[in-house]
Amino acid sequence: MFPIENDRLAGQIAFLLEIDGLKQVLRRSLIFGSSRRENSAEHSWHLAMLALILHEHANEKVDLLHTIKMMLVHDIVELDAGDTFAYDFTGYDSKEAREQAAADRIFGLLPADQSAELRALWDEFEALATAEARFANAVDRLMPMFHNLADGSTTWQSPGVRVEFAAERAKAIDEGSAPLAGLAQEILRRASADGLFAVATEE
Amino acid sequence: MFPIENDRLAGQIAFLLEIDGLKQVLRRSLIFGSSRRENSAEHSWHLAMLALILHEHANEKVDLLHTIKMMLVHDIVELDAGDTFAYDFTGYDSKEAREQAAADRIFGLLPADQSAELRALWDEFEALATAEARFANAVDRLMPMFHNLADGSTTWQSPGVRVEFAAERAKAIDEGSAPLAGLAQEILRRASADGLFAVATEE
């Protein structure tokens, strides 16, 4: 942009301008009432709002600031690595390596202390080993289910996606929040009854 | 969507689905490297990230969670009231009434305690009477200046916008953060030198 004398501020601004690109990373979900695909920046805002409003439903008490930070940061690696579709089983093989390289580069723009903090937040989200990460993962999995139900299931209609796969993904919601898992089950029940899955269960 | 037995959760979900619409409220700024206008949801995410990364530069110590909440919530009223362009002097006359009605309706979807909390956050942001609100306002004013400088000043090229108006708006940044105000001054200096204002100063 232009030279900034203060090195610390320069790194912070470089990072903040760089992540503007997350507004151009497209997910599979459509926003409500539109044929436009959702981008990862607006998705991150929405999840931060879910965390703010729904954290009382977490199975274990969560630190709200920590959870919101995780929501804001959890998709930034997609800037380089792209959004890997939940049902792209081939893409998932290379997902980790692509995302680790992205994290090195993008968080590396920040001053060392902040780079380490954001990297740790993202690692924590991926590892699902804390109450905050499990709750963050639950809201990350729940919201697209509402989008799918509303738009007639754009992503669930993809070739080969079975209700069992969706149910398996939804199970993780139960690890973070039993009441939200209840909503997920109801969405799956309705979507399945409405024939929204391309390949139905064989039962 | 579908009936949810727990009234509290039902109100929370109704609110969270409703605010998906913020992804369709367009601002005047263009995102970097694109002719697409920024929407208020992705803008809110970006500002929350600015707050997270830049809060050490606030003139007075700010509570980070409180500041981030304010950033996440500050534009939700635009869902009904629309984004009022900073240089739409006629639109500004009706802005407050439109936004108050929007706040009543949208925050009113939430359970009473959360409705009151979000309304208070938005009122606080608008009143600029706390350290958090002044810093939040500073980042809200700074970020579009980077967008303007990058895209050749889409908004500054609007009819009748003078560098003096932009300088007046940028002054508010100094109330929240002196280092960020320094960046704003440098952006204005470069934009003015590059002829990015439709109507130049008469000096």
Side-chain angles (χ1 to χ4, degrees), chain A residues 1-4 6 8-9 12-13 15-20 22-24 30-34 36 38-39 41-46 48-50 52-57 64-65 68-69 71-73 76 110 113-114 117-118 121 142-143 146-147 149-150 179-180 183 186-187 190, chain B residues 1-4 6 8-9 12-13 15-20 22-24 30-34 36 38-39 41-46 48-50 52-57 64-65 68-69 71-73 76 110 113-114 117-118 121 142-143 146-147 149-150 179-180 183 186-187 190:
Chain A
M1 180 68 58
F2 53 80
I4 297 173
N6 176 330
R8 185 167 171 86
L9 183 56
Q12 293 168 328
I13 295 295
F15 170 79
L16 290 166
L17 299 185
E18 181 72 15
I19 64 172
D20 197 77
L22 204 61
K23 300 168 187 170
Q24 299 200 61
L30 306 183
I31 60 175
F32 290 145
S34 167
R36 179 169 79 69
E38 186 183 38
N39 70 60
E42 62 197 1
H43 162 72
S44 298
W45 166 77
H46 209 172
M49 286 300 304
L50 264 79
L52 172 58
I53 299 299
L54 298 176
H55 66 99
E56 71 192 53
H57 303 294
L64 181 56
L65 176 59
I68 289 177
K69 283 182 182 179
M71 300 280 56
L72 293 174
V73 165
I76 286 178
L110 286 166
D113 60 322
Q114 293 187 313
E117 185 193 358
L118 267 61
L121 281 165
L142 177 65
M143 195 57 224
F146 280 112
H147 280 118
L149 188 63
L180 299 189
L183 293 180
E186 180 62 17
I187 292 171
R190 287 173 179 260
Chain B
M1 180 68 57
F2 53 81
I4 297 173
N6 176 331
R8 185 168 171 87
L9 183 56
Q12 292 168 329
I13 296 294
F15 170 80
L16 289 166
L17 299 184
E18 181 72 16
I19 64 171
D20 196 76
L22 204 60
K23 299 168 187 171
Q24 299 200 58
L30 306 183
I31 61 175
F32 289 146
S34 167
R36 179 168 79 69
E38 187 183 36
N39 70 61
E42 62 198 1
H43 162 71
S44 298
W45 165 76
H46 209 172
M49 286 300 304
L50 264 79
L52 172 59
I53 298 299
L54 298 176
H55 66 99
E56 70 191 54
H57 302 295
L64 181 57
L65 176 59
I68 289 177
K69 282 182 181 179
M71 300 281 54
L72 294 174
V73 165
I76 286 178
L110 285 166
D113 59 322
Q114 293 188 314
E117 185 193 358
L118 267 61
L121 282 165
L142 177 64
M143 196 57 224
F146 280 112
H147 281 117
L149 188 63
L180 299 189
L183 293 179
E186 180 63 16
I187 293 171
R190 287 172 179 262

Side-chain angles (χ1 to χ4, degrees), chain A residues 95-186:
Chain A
K95 183 172 184 272
E96 191 179 340
R98 284 182 289 120
E99 292 191 347
Q100 291 291 342
D104 288 346
R105 185 188 77 79
I106 303 163
F107 298 138
L109 295 169
L110 286 166
D113 60 322
Q114 293 187 313
S115 177
E117 185 193 358
L118 267 61
R119 179 63 177 255
L121 281 165
W122 177 67
D123 287 342
E124 182 184 344
F125 177 76
E126 294 288 305
L128 298 178
T130 61
E132 285 79 8
R134 285 187 290 269
F135 180 67
N137 189 51
V139 301
D140 189 30
R141 298 220 171 172
L142 177 65
M143 195 57 224
M145 298 181 72
F146 280 112
H147 280 118
N148 280 352
L149 188 63
D151 72 17
S153 188
T154 311
T155 63
W156 287 332
Q157 291 282 346
S158 300
V161 176
R162 289 165 178 274
V163 64
E164 293 91 336
F165 297 156
E168 187 62 35
R169 276 188 65 77
K171 261 189 202 162
I173 299 176
D174 204 36
E175 305 285 313
S177 166
L180 299 189
L183 293 180
Q185 289 311 317
E186 180 62 17

